[in-house]
Amino acid sequence: MTVKEAVPVLSVRDLTVEFVTRRATLRALDRVSFDVARGEVLGVVGESGAGKSVTGSAIIGLIDPPGRIAGGEVLLSGARIDDLPQEAMRKVRGKRIGMIFQDPLTSLNPLYRISEQLIETIRVHTDLDAAQARARAIALLDEVGIPAPERRIDSYPHEFSGGMRQRVVIALALCAEPEFIIADEPTTALDVSVQAQIIALIKRLCKERGTSVMLVTHDMGVIAETADRVAVMYAGRIAEIGPVREVVKQPLHPYAKGLMGAIPSLEGEAKRLVQIPGTMPRLSAIPPGCAFNPRCSQAFSRCHVERPELIAVGDRKVACHLYDESNAEIAA
Amino acid sequence: MSEAPFVEVRDLRRVFDVSKPWLNRVLENAPRQYLKAVDGVSFDIARGETFALVGESGSGKSTVARMVVGLLPPSDGTVAIAGVSMNDVDVAQERQRLRRRIQMIFQDPYASLNPRWRVGRIIAEPIRAFQIVEGEAAINNRVGELLTLVGLHPDDRSKFPHEFSGGQRQRIAIARALASNAEFIVCDEPTSALDVSVQAQILNLMRDLQERLGLTYLFISHNLAVVRHMATRIGVMYLGRLVEISDGKQLFSNPRHPYTRMLLDAVPDLAMTGKARDGVKGEIPNPISPPCGCTFHPRCPLVFDRCRIETPPVIDGVACHAVNEGRVAAA
Ligand SMILES: Nc1ncnc2c1ncn2[C@@H]1O[C@H](COP(=O)(O)OP(=O)(O)OP(=O)(O)O)[C@@H](O)[C@H]1O
Ligand SMILES: Nc1ncnc2c1ncn2[C@@H]1O[C@H](COP(=O)(O)OP(=O)(O)OP(=O)(O)O)[C@@H](O)[C@H]1O
Ligand code: SF4
Ligand code: SF4
Ligand SMILES: [Mg+2]
Ligand SMILES: [Mg+2]
């Protein structure tokens, strides 16, 4: 492996995001670190409020006040982007980082034809002329599976179904051939049969174009199907990160174990689901030490006082004291 | 030999008038438009069983649920519970007595709980209305019992709904449903708004309560894995019709209707068995002008001439010409 290949497309280091309110400073992300390699799909999973969307927003510099990046850095292909001036960051967004959100209508303007939106985006980011940009837009729509694109391109967003709109958003995200795409719950609003098509599409595009993707979703099934690696988030921190097969099939972190066991499956016997007591803490009440300790059946004294850092275990990293060798006798 | 089924739904239909306002119709010369939300649905539910309705958005699941509990009058067809018709005017009095025994739980527990009432009052209300127990002390006692039963604390009675998390609110909704000693609970996407770890708590609770109290459930969800986990029998809906009714296990080991097969194929696979995804094509058509014949025909890999002309009846649990003519080998 050459040195150049080893530089991850995206590298997040100790990223910390805070929301300053009158009563308290709430830490929504607490020293989050991960890399995404070229052509890789990193799944980010976790329950509501875990910090998945805030991670995405922080990467693209869209944390609005009272929120702010309170620490850490974000590197795109080795260069820092979190400290760029607003105008430069705006260029990175759209050109080098594409975005796909849950609701296609946050990315599409209902008042403009699809053609106008695609062509404008293409022309902002490339030097194609109007005719070339239109041809490219049609080719993109074809690529994302819009039938008869030369005819449909002049439609308005509302003339498309939900699934078709999400395809258009994907085309829009691809316009400038970004090296990295953030997809935040891209299929959550869609029916399962349409979801399957969109997942297949995202997978195919990454493979063909070598684009890296951060796929944010609370649906573990979607991650299992799509991602190469997965990060499990809990209360603004990464609990476990590693190859998807290992994390899904043999999770190490007690929270990840509970989460996998809580999901009803289409395989095997419909036995009683694993139950994790309680719920994720509010940001204003994150316990000291390990944030999971009030719900963890394996918690021990150290968990209440010291926050576990990510520890390498094989190809994975786990934030749990049980995997610290000095506690080996407790884990056994 | 056996008694009549506990719940008996026969040829249930519901049409909504979705026409534009009168003035628009006159100006634009637009015709009236009707939407067949539920189009001839029949099923039985035995006492103590969980019957699930599964299907994608707009397939008519909630409309069936609302007709079954009597929140929405059917355009046609009948619902009978414990032998009492839900629409026959002659038995209005009996039906009133039946009301106590039927309750409903919704997806959004917050919307169904009065935000200005304390939890104790919310749960006590059906106890008072149906005079389940008499006297303040006894009512109070019963509220405490119910809160404990659903995994909350008796002291939670003095809080307001907004002080609880989504999962806890769903527990309150379940406690309220049980307050009238209900026997039959219609659950419309009871866990769809909840996180998976909280969903597991609620699904486990619902199964425990069923076992302890002998409850009967009509369980509605778009999540096939959840349905598989909960149901003894399952009906699959597509555009207002039941396309397949089957024993819970059977549906997953041997799906027969082409739509059921497609749906099962489409579910992202946690087990990562890497099944083929080529089967999934198209989207649900506009329900105002559904395809003729079998409404699934534009998306069906097995379509043949007859499908475009004739609506397939449910025969032996499946509404499909290809299956009924023996054109498909069993999986
Ligand atoms: N503008 C804001 N002001 C205050 N707190 C915020 C703000 N935006 C997000 N948060 C908090 O940050 C935390 C993480 O939120 P985030 O949206 O990242 O969650 P998520 O993992 O994407 O959840 P979901 O699955 O519900 O989308 C939450 O506790 C949320 O309340
Ligand atoms: N009050 C109404 N007026 C007009 N149309 C309605 C009404 N209620 C439901 N519909 C239509 O009837 C069809 C069935 O709706 P229903 O809510 O029963 O579907 P569902 O299977 O519960 O879907 P979901 O999974 O989205 O909850 C839909 O096309 C819906 O738009
Ligand atoms: S660090 Fe302690 S409390 Fe946290 S997950 Fe590990 S064992 Fe449980
Ligand atoms: S009736 Fe015809 S179109 Fe409908 S599901 Fe069966 S084979 Fe397919
Ligand atoms: Mg989010
Ligand atoms: Mg519904």
mmCIF file of all heavy atoms in Angstrom, chain B residues 257-259 294-298 300-304 307 310 312 319-323, ligand 4:
data_model
loop_
_atom_site.group_PDB
_atom_site.id
_atom_site.type_symbol
_atom_site.label_atom_id
_atom_site.label_comp_id
_atom_site.label_asym_id
_atom_site.label_seq_id
_atom_site.Cartn_x
_atom_site.Cartn_y
_atom_site.Cartn_z
ATOM 1 N N HIS B 257 -47.900 -15.268 -2.456
ATOM 2 C CA HIS B 257 -48.279 -14.208 -3.386
ATOM 3 C C HIS B 257 -47.022 -13.482 -3.895
ATOM 4 O O HIS B 257 -46.098 -13.220 -3.114
ATOM 5 C CB HIS B 257 -49.194 -13.212 -2.683
ATOM 6 C CG HIS B 257 -49.902 -12.296 -3.630
ATOM 7 N ND1 HIS B 257 -49.282 -11.200 -4.191
ATOM 8 C CD2 HIS B 257 -51.160 -12.329 -4.138
ATOM 9 C CE1 HIS B 257 -50.157 -10.593 -4.993
ATOM 10 N NE2 HIS B 257 -51.297 -11.258 -4.977
ATOM 11 N N PRO B 258 -46.978 -13.146 -5.192
ATOM 12 C CA PRO B 258 -45.794 -12.457 -5.719
ATOM 13 C C PRO B 258 -45.459 -11.177 -4.960
ATOM 14 O O PRO B 258 -44.279 -10.846 -4.795
ATOM 15 C CB PRO B 258 -46.191 -12.138 -7.165
ATOM 16 C CG PRO B 258 -47.202 -13.167 -7.519
ATOM 17 C CD PRO B 258 -47.948 -13.475 -6.252
ATOM 18 N N TYR B 259 -46.478 -10.447 -4.464
ATOM 19 C CA TYR B 259 -46.179 -9.224 -3.712
ATOM 20 C C TYR B 259 -45.521 -9.562 -2.383
ATOM 21 O O TYR B 259 -44.572 -8.906 -1.972
ATOM 22 C CB TYR B 259 -47.453 -8.401 -3.489
ATOM 23 C CG TYR B 259 -47.201 -7.187 -2.609
ATOM 24 C CD1 TYR B 259 -46.362 -6.162 -3.038
ATOM 25 C CD2 TYR B 259 -47.790 -7.079 -1.350
ATOM 26 C CE1 TYR B 259 -46.109 -5.060 -2.232
ATOM 27 C CE2 TYR B 259 -47.539 -5.983 -0.543
ATOM 28 C CZ TYR B 259 -46.698 -4.975 -0.988
ATOM 29 O OH TYR B 259 -46.452 -3.897 -0.185
ATOM 30 N N CYS B 294 -55.856 -7.327 -11.471
ATOM 31 C CA CYS B 294 -55.031 -7.426 -10.256
ATOM 32 C C CYS B 294 -54.233 -6.143 -10.148
ATOM 33 O O CYS B 294 -53.448 -5.814 -11.037
ATOM 34 C CB CYS B 294 -54.102 -8.634 -10.342
ATOM 35 S SG CYS B 294 -52.892 -8.650 -8.998
ATOM 36 N N THR B 295 -54.401 -5.402 -9.033
ATOM 37 C CA THR B 295 -53.757 -4.087 -8.937
ATOM 38 C C THR B 295 -52.236 -4.197 -8.859
ATOM 39 O O THR B 295 -51.536 -3.216 -9.015
ATOM 40 C CB THR B 295 -54.245 -3.314 -7.691
ATOM 41 O OG1 THR B 295 -54.116 -4.164 -6.559
ATOM 42 C CG2 THR B 295 -55.690 -2.877 -7.851
ATOM 43 N N PHE B 296 -51.719 -5.395 -8.643
ATOM 44 C CA PHE B 296 -50.262 -5.574 -8.564
ATOM 45 C C PHE B 296 -49.663 -5.855 -9.940
ATOM 46 O O PHE B 296 -48.449 -5.928 -10.097
ATOM 47 C CB PHE B 296 -49.944 -6.719 -7.584
ATOM 48 C CG PHE B 296 -48.478 -6.907 -7.298
ATOM 49 C CD1 PHE B 296 -47.716 -5.872 -6.762
ATOM 50 C CD2 PHE B 296 -47.855 -8.119 -7.559
ATOM 51 C CE1 PHE B 296 -46.362 -6.045 -6.495
ATOM 52 C CE2 PHE B 296 -46.499 -8.292 -7.290
ATOM 53 C CZ PHE B 296 -45.751 -7.263 -6.758
ATOM 54 N N HIS B 297 -50.510 -5.953 -10.977
ATOM 55 C CA HIS B 297 -49.994 -6.501 -12.238
ATOM 56 C C HIS B 297 -48.858 -5.700 -12.892
ATOM 57 O O HIS B 297 -47.956 -6.296 -13.460
ATOM 58 C CB HIS B 297 -51.129 -6.840 -13.224
ATOM 59 C CG HIS B 297 -51.617 -5.702 -14.065
ATOM 60 N ND1 HIS B 297 -52.875 -5.153 -13.934
ATOM 61 C CD2 HIS B 297 -51.021 -5.031 -15.078
ATOM 62 C CE1 HIS B 297 -53.019 -4.185 -14.806
ATOM 63 N NE2 HIS B 297 -51.915 -4.088 -15.509
ATOM 64 N N PRO B 298 -48.827 -4.339 -12.774
ATOM 65 C CA PRO B 298 -47.699 -3.647 -13.437
ATOM 66 C C PRO B 298 -46.338 -3.980 -12.815
ATOM 67 O O PRO B 298 -45.307 -3.731 -13.433
ATOM 68 C CB PRO B 298 -48.030 -2.160 -13.235
ATOM 69 C CG PRO B 298 -49.475 -2.105 -12.906
ATOM 70 C CD PRO B 298 -49.772 -3.384 -12.186
ATOM 71 N N CYS B 300 -45.696 -7.088 -11.320
ATOM 72 C CA CYS B 300 -45.609 -8.513 -11.036
ATOM 73 C C CYS B 300 -44.766 -9.268 -12.060
ATOM 74 O O CYS B 300 -44.997 -9.152 -13.255
ATOM 75 C CB CYS B 300 -47.009 -9.107 -10.983
ATOM 76 S SG CYS B 300 -46.975 -10.856 -10.558
ATOM 77 N N PRO B 301 -43.815 -10.059 -11.592
ATOM 78 C CA PRO B 301 -42.994 -10.834 -12.527
ATOM 79 C C PRO B 301 -43.758 -11.994 -13.161
ATOM 80 O O PRO B 301 -43.315 -12.553 -14.163
ATOM 81 C CB PRO B 301 -41.848 -11.356 -11.644
ATOM 82 C CG PRO B 301 -42.372 -11.347 -10.256
ATOM 83 C CD PRO B 301 -43.365 -10.223 -10.193
ATOM 84 N N LEU B 302 -44.922 -12.363 -12.612
ATOM 85 C CA LEU B 302 -45.646 -13.525 -13.115
ATOM 86 C C LEU B 302 -46.885 -13.137 -13.919
ATOM 87 O O LEU B 302 -47.695 -13.983 -14.262
ATOM 88 C CB LEU B 302 -46.093 -14.401 -11.941
ATOM 89 C CG LEU B 302 -44.990 -14.944 -11.036
ATOM 90 C CD1 LEU B 302 -45.602 -15.708 -9.868
ATOM 91 C CD2 LEU B 302 -44.049 -15.840 -11.828
ATOM 92 N N VAL B 303 -47.041 -11.849 -14.205
ATOM 93 C CA VAL B 303 -48.276 -11.368 -14.833
ATOM 94 C C VAL B 303 -48.567 -12.101 -16.151
ATOM 95 O O VAL B 303 -47.668 -12.434 -16.910
ATOM 96 C CB VAL B 303 -48.186 -9.831 -15.053
ATOM 97 C CG1 VAL B 303 -46.999 -9.479 -15.934
ATOM 98 C CG2 VAL B 303 -49.472 -9.270 -15.620
ATOM 99 N N PHE B 304 -49.855 -12.397 -16.367
ATOM 100 C CA PHE B 304 -50.291 -12.926 -17.666
ATOM 101 C C PHE B 304 -51.646 -12.304 -18.006
ATOM 102 O O PHE B 304 -52.190 -11.531 -17.210
ATOM 103 C CB PHE B 304 -50.302 -14.456 -17.677
ATOM 104 C CG PHE B 304 -51.241 -15.100 -16.682
ATOM 105 C CD1 PHE B 304 -52.407 -15.721 -17.114
ATOM 106 C CD2 PHE B 304 -50.959 -15.091 -15.315
ATOM 107 C CE1 PHE B 304 -53.266 -16.318 -16.212
ATOM 108 C CE2 PHE B 304 -51.818 -15.695 -14.410
ATOM 109 C CZ PHE B 304 -52.978 -16.309 -14.856
ATOM 110 N N CYS B 307 -54.601 -11.454 -15.620
ATOM 111 C CA CYS B 307 -54.362 -10.525 -14.510
ATOM 112 C C CYS B 307 -54.801 -9.103 -14.838
ATOM 113 O O CYS B 307 -55.137 -8.335 -13.946
ATOM 114 C CB CYS B 307 -52.880 -10.511 -14.147
ATOM 115 S SG CYS B 307 -52.185 -12.143 -13.909
ATOM 116 N N GLU B 310 -59.151 -9.495 -14.799
ATOM 117 C CA GLU B 310 -59.951 -10.036 -13.715
ATOM 118 C C GLU B 310 -59.273 -9.818 -12.367
ATOM 119 O O GLU B 310 -58.104 -10.135 -12.202
ATOM 120 C CB GLU B 310 -60.020 -11.545 -13.919
ATOM 121 C CG GLU B 310 -61.401 -12.127 -14.022
ATOM 122 C CD GLU B 310 -61.234 -13.627 -14.208
ATOM 123 O OE1 GLU B 310 -60.920 -14.069 -15.323
ATOM 124 O OE2 GLU B 310 -61.380 -14.339 -13.205
ATOM 125 N N PRO B 312 -58.264 -10.981 -8.947
ATOM 126 C CA PRO B 312 -58.187 -12.331 -8.369
ATOM 127 C C PRO B 312 -58.873 -12.399 -7.013
ATOM 128 O O PRO B 312 -58.624 -11.556 -6.162
ATOM 129 C CB PRO B 312 -56.681 -12.578 -8.249
ATOM 130 C CG PRO B 312 -56.067 -11.222 -8.204
ATOM 131 C CD PRO B 312 -56.968 -10.292 -8.945
ATOM 132 N N ALA B 319 -54.680 -14.282 -3.115
ATOM 133 C CA ALA B 319 -55.421 -13.648 -4.202
ATOM 134 C C ALA B 319 -54.498 -13.476 -5.400
ATOM 135 O O ALA B 319 -53.927 -12.406 -5.598
ATOM 136 C CB ALA B 319 -55.984 -12.312 -3.748
ATOM 137 N N CYS B 320 -54.319 -14.531 -6.156
ATOM 138 C CA CYS B 320 -53.428 -14.451 -7.310
ATOM 139 C C CYS B 320 -53.807 -15.515 -8.325
ATOM 140 O O CYS B 320 -53.906 -16.698 -7.991
ATOM 141 C CB CYS B 320 -51.984 -14.650 -6.852
ATOM 142 S SG CYS B 320 -50.832 -14.868 -8.217
ATOM 143 N N HIS B 321 -54.007 -15.085 -9.565
ATOM 144 C CA HIS B 321 -54.373 -16.040 -10.615
ATOM 145 C C HIS B 321 -53.275 -17.062 -10.853
ATOM 146 O O HIS B 321 -53.543 -18.244 -11.051
ATOM 147 C CB HIS B 321 -54.651 -15.301 -11.928
ATOM 148 C CG HIS B 321 -55.835 -14.389 -11.858
ATOM 149 N ND1 HIS B 321 -57.061 -14.803 -11.385
ATOM 150 C CD2 HIS B 321 -55.986 -13.083 -12.202
ATOM 151 C CE1 HIS B 321 -57.919 -13.784 -11.442
ATOM 152 N NE2 HIS B 321 -57.284 -12.718 -11.930
ATOM 153 N N ALA B 322 -52.038 -16.592 -10.850
ATOM 154 C CA ALA B 322 -50.928 -17.503 -11.160
ATOM 155 C C ALA B 322 -50.827 -18.605 -10.113
ATOM 156 O O ALA B 322 -50.649 -19.780 -10.439
ATOM 157 C CB ALA B 322 -49.617 -16.731 -11.247
ATOM 158 N N VAL B 323 -50.997 -18.214 -8.833
ATOM 159 C CA VAL B 323 -50.926 -19.214 -7.777
ATOM 160 C C VAL B 323 -52.117 -20.158 -7.886
ATOM 161 O O VAL B 323 -51.986 -21.378 -7.819
ATOM 162 C CB VAL B 323 -50.896 -18.539 -6.388
ATOM 163 C CG1 VAL B 323 -51.029 -19.575 -5.278
ATOM 164 C CG2 VAL B 323 -49.609 -17.746 -6.211
HETATM 165 S S1 SF4 C 4 -52.916 -12.105 -10.215
HETATM 166 FE FE1 SF4 C 4 -51.412 -11.956 -11.851
HETATM 167 S S2 SF4 C 4 -50.542 -9.903 -11.622
HETATM 168 FE FE2 SF4 C 4 -51.647 -10.374 -9.748
HETATM 169 S S3 SF4 C 4 -50.094 -11.195 -8.410
HETATM 170 FE FE3 SF4 C 4 -51.017 -12.949 -9.414
HETATM 171 S S4 SF4 C 4 -49.782 -13.292 -11.236
HETATM 172 FE FE4 SF4 C 4 -49.241 -11.300 -10.469
#
